[in-house]
Amino acid sequence: MRPILLKGHERPLTQLKYNREGDLLFSTARDKIVNVYYSHNGERLGTYTGHQGALWSVDVDPTSTIVATGAADNTIKLWEIRSGRCIHTWNFPTAVKVVQFNEDGNMLLAITEQRMGYQGTVYVFPITIDVEAKQAEEPIIKFSSPENKFTKAGWSYLNKWIITGHLDGSVSKYDAKTGELVQKISVHEKEVTDLQFAPDMSYFITTSKDKTAKILDTKNLKVMKTFVADAPLNTGAITPTKDYVILGGGQDAKDVTTTGSRQGKFEARFYHKIFEDEIGRLKGHFGPLNTIAVHPAGTGFASGGEDGYVRVHHFDKSYFDFLYDVERMRPE
Amino acid sequence: EDIAEESQASKELIAQRLRLLEEWRAWRKAVEAELAEARDGVIPLALQSEEDGSEVIE
């Protein structure tokens, strides 16, 4: 599994995202730019410039026409993928931490940071997937959670709910039409650092600084699986076609020094999704892993590090062949 | 005796994994059926490549 190393950023990576077909890989970092690569060979297709601050989040619409980005310059920008032209900008009072299209590509979810007297807020904007269209200025819905900072968010299936992760380790479920809080549960002991859905959005994985990752049922927020790691986790993804999850994180530089640990634990870790065991690790990054994205066809994954590098991996045969005895005994 | 204990432990582990596997598969089956009904044959754009990992041609 020899990776392709992408050196398109000068600063730590913040998010990676494949498009629906998996042929394009988008990356955002603290260096104010968005890069897009061909995922099979790592060739850079383009760089989108225009943000005035660190970028926190990126997402692609399901037709691969428009990319949305959220940044510390308090804006969301929409970009035409083909030309790299900025086609719309929304302004907010604080930084935008998350952007995500719904499954139809006609709504965009965003969360803004709680700061300077402003509450962290979830917004949903209507989207027209047309680079010449005028996008609506006003959100369809907007709600806050003053006592409980949002860190991550995502759409459920059928645009039914918005699932949010929080600074205190809890996970909430809001009605996506009314913004009403439906359910809230304690999941982690520390900050929720990532929240990624399975392909059909019926379950999702959360990662936390508490060194664990969990799989939750979208419908009732029941914790179904727990994965225990030996370092704070920043990111986790569910792999299609194989029953694995891939987790990334690592000790912060300051903690490595104070504990005297030479081992920063900067590997991508593979766990079995059903049996919860760690089954493998992949070295490479020189700092914590900040973001992992899995190819939508399950053929590989990409990791983005605090070291400023993106590593794109294509899975080899042993990855697909690996089975537990019980999986061999009871083939699906 | 050690070997007997070990083999007992491994039997228990296998039984536990079988249980986990069956539980997961039963849950997936139920959820997939429920979602298919809720979607009523309408597959959203974002999910259209998930079935076979290639473009859906209609």
Side-chain angles (χ1 to χ4, degrees):
Chain A
M1 195 147 44
R2 206 169 62 193
I4 304 168
L5 191 62
L6 308 181
K7 301 176 184 173
H9 290 286
E10 302 287 326
R11 300 286 316 277
L13 271 289
T14 52
Q15 195 165 33
L16 292 167
K17 205 68 80 76
Y18 286 92
N19 64 339
R20 179 173 65 91
E21 292 83 356
D23 59 329
L24 301 178
L25 177 67
F26 296 83
S27 66
T28 53
R30 287 172 179 261
D31 60 5
K32 308 178 187 177
I33 62 169
V34 189
N35 282 325
V36 51
Y37 304 91
Y38 289 111
S39 65
H40 71 284
N41 62 5
E43 186 193 330
R44 186 156 26 160
L45 178 64
T47 296
Y48 306 158
T49 54
H51 274 296
Q52 303 298 311
L55 275 102
W56 295 121
S57 184
V58 59
D59 201 20
V60 196
D61 89 70
T63 67
S64 298
T65 308
I66 293 172
V67 166
T69 51
D73 62 3
N74 306 348
T75 68
I76 293 175
K77 287 183 184 289
L78 297 182
W79 312 81
E80 179 182 16
I81 292 181
R82 227 172 16 175
S83 68
R85 177 170 65 103
C86 177
I87 56 171
H88 193 80
T89 301
W90 282 281
N91 289 286
F92 300 89
T94 60
V96 180
K97 301 295 280 187
V98 173
V99 288
Q100 197 189 81
F101 287 101
N102 66 336
E103 62 185 22
D104 304 306
N106 59 7
M107 288 190 275
L108 184 73
L109 165 71
I111 63 174
T112 58
E113 198 175 21
Q114 179 169 316
R115 209 175 187 181
M116 300 176 296
Y118 291 98
Q119 289 179 358
T121 302
V122 171
Y123 296 83
V124 174
F125 291 94
I127 295 288
T128 308
I129 306 179
D130 175 350
V131 295
E132 303 305 330
K134 182 158 171 45
Q135 303 293 337
E137 283 299 330
E138 292 305 314
I140 305 168
I141 195 166
K142 168 180 164 180
F143 56 88
S144 299
S145 169
E147 72 294 338
N148 195 1
K149 278 190 189 179
F150 297 114
T151 54
K152 292 286 162 178
W155 288 99
S156 82
Y157 51 84
L158 292 158
N159 310 316
K160 223 175 154 93
W161 300 298
I162 290 166
I163 309 288
T164 57
H166 299 268
L167 190 67
D168 68 357
S170 63
V171 171
S172 303
K173 187 166 91 181
Y174 292 86
D175 185 306
K177 288 196 178 65
T178 63
E180 182 197 354
L181 179 65
V182 182
Q183 198 182 351
K184 183 191 163 216
I185 59 156
S186 283
V187 176
H188 291 285
E189 287 168 22
K190 291 181 179 171
E191 174 185 354
V192 175
T193 50
D194 201 3
L195 196 162
Q196 292 196 32
F197 280 83
D200 75 352
M201 289 168 273
S202 62
Y203 60 102
F204 58 93
I205 187 164
T206 56
T207 58
S208 171
K209 292 287 184 194
D210 73 1
K211 306 184 182 177
T212 69
K214 311 236 183 194
I215 281 182
L216 279 78
D217 184 340
T218 306
K219 193 176 167 184
N220 52 23
L221 298 190
K222 193 181 139 209
V223 175
M224 304 188 73
K225 299 290 171 188
T226 298
F227 309 95
V228 180
D230 55 359
L233 295 175
N234 296 329
T235 180
I238 296 163
T239 62
T241 69
K242 290 295 287 185
D243 285 321
Y244 306 146
V245 299
I246 311 175
L247 309 179
Q251 292 174 330
D252 290 338
K254 59 173 167 52
D255 298 334
V256 175
T257 325
T258 53
T259 58
S261 168
R262 291 166 57 202
Q263 166 61 284
K265 307 186 195 310
F266 306 138
E267 301 107 335
R269 299 117 195 279
F270 288 73
Y271 285 71
H272 196 282
K273 182 174 72 184
I274 298 170
F275 307 129
E276 303 173 326
D277 304 325
E278 185 178 326
I279 51 178
R281 289 190 184 200
L282 209 55
K283 283 187 196 168
H285 285 285
F286 299 104
L289 274 73
N290 291 339
T291 174
I292 286 174
V294 176
H295 190 290
T299 54
F301 81 105
S303 56
E306 187 72 13
D307 60 8
Y309 292 113
V310 175
R311 303 174 73 87
V312 181
H313 307 259
H314 298 281
F315 294 134
D316 55 26
K317 193 167 174 297
S318 64
Y319 168 92
F320 295 102
D321 288 348
F322 178 82
L323 285 173
Y324 274 64
D325 286 343
V326 293
E327 291 176 295
R328 256 184 254 280
M329 284 158 60
R330 302 281 167 89
E332 229 168 339
Chain B
E1 198 176 296
D2 281 355
I3 292 165
E5 251 175 51
E6 211 169 89
S7 122
Q8 186 57 32
S10 119
K11 259 188 204 162
E12 279 167 18
L13 187 62
I14 287 171
Q16 190 211 3
R17 283 181 181 157
L18 270 178
R19 186 178 52 78
L20 290 173
L21 191 64
E22 272 156 19
E23 267 178 20
W24 180 267
R25 287 178 179 173
W27 176 70
R28 289 309 302 159
K29 221 173 143 184
V31 170
E32 280 162 17
E34 196 181 322
L35 269 177
E37 199 186 324
R39 290 194 185 282
D40 199 20
V42 182
I43 306 299
L45 206 49
L47 303 190
Q48 283 185 10
S49 62
E50 301 302 334
E51 303 309 310
D52 55 5
S54 63
E55 283 277 8
V56 172
I57 298 156
E58 288 178 274

